[in-house]
Amino acid sequence: MEQKPARARIIDAAHRLMLTIGLARATTKEIARAAGCSEAALYKHFPSKEELFVVVLKERLPKVDGVLKRLIADPGEGERTVERNLTEIAREAALFYEQSFPIAASLYAEPRLKARHNAAMRELGTGPHIPIRGLDAYLRAEQTAGRVRADADTYAAASLLMGACAQRAFAYDATQTGEPPQPLDAFAASVARMLLAGLTGERP
């Protein structure tokens, strides 16, 4: 079987190590070894571990931004309802946070690493605020289309949905089962229904 290109092997190795041992302990040396290449080869593709982390988030985890860009461009695509769109967004966001939190958790234990990571995110024009802004833009497009109340606070609604999805990712670790009370699809649908009630004034 043909070996993957070095860049893809590095991203795969980084993803595996960040999931299993955390971002702080996943050194570039360890990542290069797991990818079967030299550390110099890693730096040829990625100038820093922080930038590699951002690429892992973009290329190996569920893509919330892709869903949002599509819906902003055409909110009613294929006669899709606002509820269906919000359900899809909530599902992808919940999956993204579920898979990214184990990787990013070690950032908060090492202030210097977190500072370097934040600087890299700013330089690349990304960060955890981007999905909230994207969802806000989608909801404003729905206001323009007349499917969301003109006086609805779209930024607050976007913050509520993304906050609920992020909370689901870590809120139940300490419980007996370690599992959220609702399966992913049921959670996404119920969050979408409740949010829609505030955005349209209709009862869920």
Side-chain angles (χ1 to χ4, degrees):
M1 189 173 71
E2 190 176 339
Q3 194 176 41
K4 285 183 178 181
R7 183 183 183 279
R9 297 201 316 274
I10 291 165
I11 296 170
D12 287 343
H15 186 201
R16 285 196 307 274
L17 287 172
M18 288 172 182
L19 276 173
T20 53
I21 65 175
L23 180 61
R25 292 176 59 201
T27 63
T28 52
K29 183 181 287 187
E30 289 289 338
I31 293 167
R33 182 183 297 127
C37 68
S38 68
E39 201 171 0
L42 183 151
Y43 282 116
K44 180 180 172 185
H45 294 280
F46 304 99
S48 69
K49 185 171 78 169
E50 290 72 35
E51 184 162 324
L52 176 53
F53 171 63
V54 171
V55 172
V56 167
L57 293 183
K58 284 184 174 179
E59 297 189 17
R60 293 296 183 271
L61 298 184
K63 294 173 174 58
V64 185
D65 58 342
V67 173
L68 290 168
K69 284 175 184 173
R70 190 185 81 237
L71 295 177
I72 291 165
D74 189 0
E77 174 194 12
E79 298 183 1
R80 292 171 60 101
T81 64
V82 180
E83 183 175 342
R84 182 177 170 188
N85 289 341
L86 288 174
T87 300
E88 182 182 359
I89 293 165
R91 188 180 191 283
E92 290 303 304
L95 277 173
F96 173 80
Y97 289 121
E98 181 182 295
Q99 294 179 33
S100 63
F101 270 14
I103 297 173
S106 57
L107 279 174
Y108 292 88
E110 299 206 13
R112 287 183 184 176
L113 178 61
K114 187 171 185 301
R116 291 202 311 272
H117 169 72
N118 288 347
M121 297 278 264
R122 285 192 295 271
E123 190 174 325
L124 293 166
T126 188
H129 60 291
I130 297 296
I132 298 174
R133 285 185 180 175
L135 180 50
D136 177 40
Y138 159 67
L139 292 173
R140 283 187 278 110
E142 291 288 15
Q143 277 182 322
T144 301
R147 302 203 301 175
V148 163
R149 276 181 18 224
D151 63 344
D153 187 334
T154 56
Y155 188 81
S159 300
L160 287 168
L161 185 141
M162 290 298 172
C165 293
Q167 181 74 2
R168 184 180 186 273
F170 70 88
Y172 300 99
D173 282 349
T175 62
Q176 192 168 4
T177 64
E179 294 291 330
Q182 290 174 299
L184 176 62
D185 288 340
F187 164 81
S190 62
V191 167
R193 280 194 303 272
M194 292 305 296
L195 195 66
L196 191 62
L199 290 166
T200 63
E202 298 175 6
R203 298 185 66 180

